[in-house]
Amino acid sequence: MGNSSLVLVSNRLPVDRVVRPDGQSEWRRSPGGLVSALEPVMARSGGAWIGWPGATEIEVEPFDVVPPNGGKTYRLVPVALSEQEFVDYYEGFSNNSLWPLYHDVITAPQYHRAWWDAHVLINRRFAEAAAREAAPGGIVWVHDYQLQLVPRMLRELRPDVAIGFFLHIPFPSFGIYAQLPWRTQIVDGLLGADVIGFQRVADARNFQRAVRRLLGYRTRTGRVFIPESEDKAARTVVVSDYPISIDAKEFRSLSATPSVQARAVEIRHELGDPRRVLLGVDRLDYTKGIVHRIKAFGELLSDGSLNPAEVSLVQVAVPSRERVESYRALRDEIELLVARINGDFGTLGHNPITYLHKGYPHDEMAALYRASDVMLVTALRDGMNLVAKEYVATRADNRGVLVLSEFAGASDELKTALLINPHDIEGLKENILRAIHMPALEQGRRMRPMRRRIAENDVSHWSASFLADLRGARAGDQVPLS
Ligand code: G6P
């Protein structure tokens, strides 16, 4: 038993251990929405964060982190993975089985029994680490698809702690989920939690249907009823949607910083002061619809709707899962497409697409958001998409247009964006043109309600409402039905 009253458990820590070519190692910020959302939660509450340190075959002792923007010191507790475990548990089961399955089989998932065995083994390792770290009667909050067995395992080790689980990605409809050879074990693993949170109402419903079909338990809105069995008492599990968000204040104040505003002007200048700047920011992932977006942009150039000298598309593609074959193939496809379009429509002084295969710190991102007239979020399937929210929070000037896929969770809240179906290339092209030509008045009319929504439902609201329900569920209080 440990002494942390709040323990977060996620596959990744917010920093990766990276070995430089000269053999020295350093810590770098990890990619992805999960880390962006959880960092402010830890800085606010303190506690311990259990996760993998991003490199294999190393043992790293727990260490304290002082949040760079202020807040409470928290403790990082690394969980080690061997190279083979990384291949089977992370690249295999997490990113070749569950990730494509949960994103509506955009690419075909693969199922291997050896990957599943590693998944069980590593989930147990995380559960044991959490059991060691949590204070008596404390809270353990487990995150995301890599660790769905942890709640059940932890409940068996530490029945005294309150266990929450939040899924950052979609939960698929039963017709798709049913493919998974270990579908029942995963649902049962999740039901070890007291509260299970999803991004969208639809995800929570899909999960409840899976519970009914696979385990025959009774459900109603917001609840799963687990009947008494030989060795277990009857219990109720709260199942609800808690749309995740960002530290809206941080992005708002960054956008007001003179250096960020000056950098935004400089970025436009570096791009050749085009009339319109369009922006895409994604992990390089097949769920993000990057190819659909670039294809639509290329067609607008080739059919003469856009003048290549007057527009710039900046595509930031953050490197991700680079050894997984489907990610390598996607990178090749994107880079070929970008090179073709620039080859066809570029000049010595100007390329219509600026492609950047790297990640940037928040201040540079804020400047990019401020420099862009149009933000393109064209995900084919996405749990939430925090980039869309960051763009909105940064546009304190009430300018700029968000083009947003209806398949991203963010579209449930950001209803005054230009909502698109990314598979419909003609519709996407029309909306890109509409965004490019949108009068300032309409931009403001659409941006304001979205900014209000994100200012109210920011990441601290998200974590506070989840944790309040978790405390309530544990105390046996009536958690309000959603
Ligand atoms: C998404 C997932 C996270 C994951 C992140 C980065 O946001 O929901 O769980 O950490 O992508 O992916 P990676 O595989 O690099 O951790």
Side-chain angles (χ1 to χ4, degrees), residues 197-227:
F198 295 91
Q199 300 279 24
R200 307 177 92 162
V201 177
D203 300 318
R205 287 203 188 126
N206 287 342
F207 173 71
Q208 288 188 313
R209 173 132 195 268
V211 170
R212 288 194 300 275
R213 293 291 300 268
L214 296 169
L215 295 167
Y217 296 163
R218 208 159 53 79
T219 68
R220 76 173 151 131
T221 313
R223 295 277 192 285
V224 170
F225 301 99
I226 304 180

Side-chain angles (χ1 to χ4, degrees), residues 55 58 70 84 97 99-100 105 110 143 186 226 247 273 279 332 340 342 350-351 365 369 373 385 387:
I58 55 161
Q84 190 60 44
S97 309
W99 181 267
V105 298
Q110 294 173 35
H143 291 265
I186 290 218
I226 304 180
D247 185 345
D273 287 317
L279 176 65
D332 288 348
R340 282 221 175 112
N342 281 341
H350 177 70
N351 271 329
M365 288 315 305
Y369 294 140
D373 304 290
N385 197 292
V387 164

Side-chain angles (χ1 to χ4, degrees), residues 263 266-274 276-282 290 293-294 297-298 301 308-318 334-335 337-343 345-358 360 364-365 368 371-372 374 376:
R263 177 69 189 133
E266 192 179 61
I267 287 171
R268 286 189 80 105
H269 191 59
E270 284 172 9
L271 292 169
D273 287 317
R276 290 286 183 270
V277 175
L278 291 79
L279 176 65
V281 178
D282 314 80
I290 302 172
R293 174 188 319 163
I294 296 177
F297 181 70
L301 297 176
E310 294 185 341
V311 288
S312 260
L313 167 62
V314 177
Q315 176 63 54
V316 177
V318 183
I334 291 172
E335 293 182 358
L337 197 60
V338 168
R340 282 221 175 112
I341 293 172
N342 281 341
F345 301 103
T347 60
L348 279 176
H350 177 70
N351 271 329
I353 304 181
T354 300
Y355 168 78
L356 303 157
H357 185 238
K358 50 179 82 84
Y360 292 95
E364 180 72 357
M365 288 315 305
L368 260 173
S372 304
V374 178
L376 298 171

Side-chain angles (χ1 to χ4, degrees), residues 12 31-34 90 95 99 144-146 168-169 283 321:
R12 261 194 196 283
L34 178 143
Y90 173 75
N95 291 324
W99 181 267
D144 229 0
Y145 62 104
Q146 305 93 341
H168 291 248
I169 67 174
R283 261 186 326 100
R321 307 175 192 165

Side-chain angles (χ1 to χ4, degrees), residues 94-409:
S94 295
N95 291 324
N96 255 315
S97 309
L98 293 176
W99 181 267
L101 180 74
Y102 281 34
H103 288 90
D104 286 357
V105 298
I106 295 170
T107 74
Q110 294 173 35
Y111 308 113
H112 294 296
R113 283 162 285 181
W115 292 356
W116 167 255
D117 292 343
H119 182 71
V120 176
L121 182 83
I122 304 304
N123 269 248
R124 191 165 304 283
R125 190 172 298 162
F126 275 86
E128 284 165 358
R132 277 194 299 274
E133 205 58 41
I139 285 181
V140 179
W141 192 2
V142 185
H143 291 265
D144 229 0
Y145 62 104
Q146 305 93 341
L147 300 175
Q148 294 172 97
L149 302 177
V150 169
R152 165 75 58 212
M153 292 170 169
L154 182 60
R155 175 171 286 274
E156 269 148 29
L157 294 168
R158 288 288 305 273
D160 61 300
V161 298
I163 305 171
F165 180 90
F166 184 77
L167 186 69
H168 291 248
I169 67 174
F171 193 90
S173 66
F174 188 66
I176 289 176
Y177 181 71
Q179 280 187 15
L180 185 65
W182 305 279
R183 58 197 189 183
T184 311
Q185 290 94 314
I186 290 218
V187 165
D188 185 59
L190 288 170
L191 288 173
D194 298 293
V195 175
I196 307 176
F198 295 91
Q199 300 279 24
R200 307 177 92 162
V201 177
D203 300 318
R205 287 203 188 126
N206 287 342
F207 173 71
Q208 288 188 313
R209 173 132 195 268
V211 170
R212 288 194 300 275
R213 293 291 300 268
L214 296 169
L215 295 167
Y217 296 163
R218 208 159 53 79
T219 68
R220 76 173 151 131
T221 313
R223 295 277 192 285
V224 170
F225 301 99
I226 304 180
E228 193 182 311
S229 65
E230 262 170 42
D231 49 349
K232 288 181 198 125
R235 298 169 47 222
T236 302
V237 178
V238 173
V239 174
S240 191
D241 58 300
Y242 302 87
I244 202 168
S245 197
I246 57 163
D247 185 345
K249 260 196 229 104
E250 187 206 344
F251 280 91
R252 203 174 49 235
S253 41
L254 271 178
S255 82
T257 318
S259 62
V260 166
Q261 289 179 1
R263 177 69 189 133
V265 173
E266 192 179 61
I267 287 171
R268 286 189 80 105
H269 191 59
E270 284 172 9
L271 292 169
D273 287 317
R275 287 188 59 196
R276 290 286 183 270
V277 175
L278 291 79
L279 176 65
V281 178
D282 314 80
R283 261 186 326 100
L284 204 162
D285 195 294
Y286 50 81
T287 58
K288 304 288 183 183
I290 302 172
V291 169
H292 295 62
R293 174 188 319 163
I294 296 177
K295 191 169 177 205
F297 181 70
E299 285 188 19
L300 289 170
L301 297 176
S302 64
D303 66 20
S305 308
L306 290 178
N307 177 350
E310 294 185 341
V311 288
S312 260
L313 167 62
V314 177
Q315 176 63 54
V316 177
V318 183
S320 188
R321 307 175 192 165
E322 290 187 280
R323 300 194 327 192
V324 177
E325 184 44 43
S326 43
Y327 287 76
R328 285 183 195 219
L330 176 72
R331 180 172 176 194
D332 288 348
E333 190 184 356
I334 291 172
E335 293 182 358
L336 185 68
L337 197 60
V338 168
R340 282 221 175 112
I341 293 172
N342 281 341
D344 286 345
F345 301 103
T347 60
L348 279 176
H350 177 70
N351 271 329
I353 304 181
T354 300
Y355 168 78
L356 303 157
H357 185 238
K358 50 179 82 84
Y360 292 95
H362 284 179
D363 52 351
E364 180 72 357
M365 288 315 305
L368 260 173
Y369 294 140
R370 280 301 283 247
S372 304
D373 304 290
V374 178
M375 177 82 213
L376 298 171
V377 177
T378 58
L380 306 178
R381 187 46 92 195
D382 206 335
M384 176 53 63
N385 197 292
L386 293 181
V387 164
K389 293 191 170 179
E390 288 174 4
Y391 182 68
V392 168
T394 310
R395 297 313 304 241
D397 56 349
N398 288 317
R399 296 295 297 272
V401 184
L402 174 64
V403 174
L404 177 61
S405 166
E406 62 192 63
F407 299 109

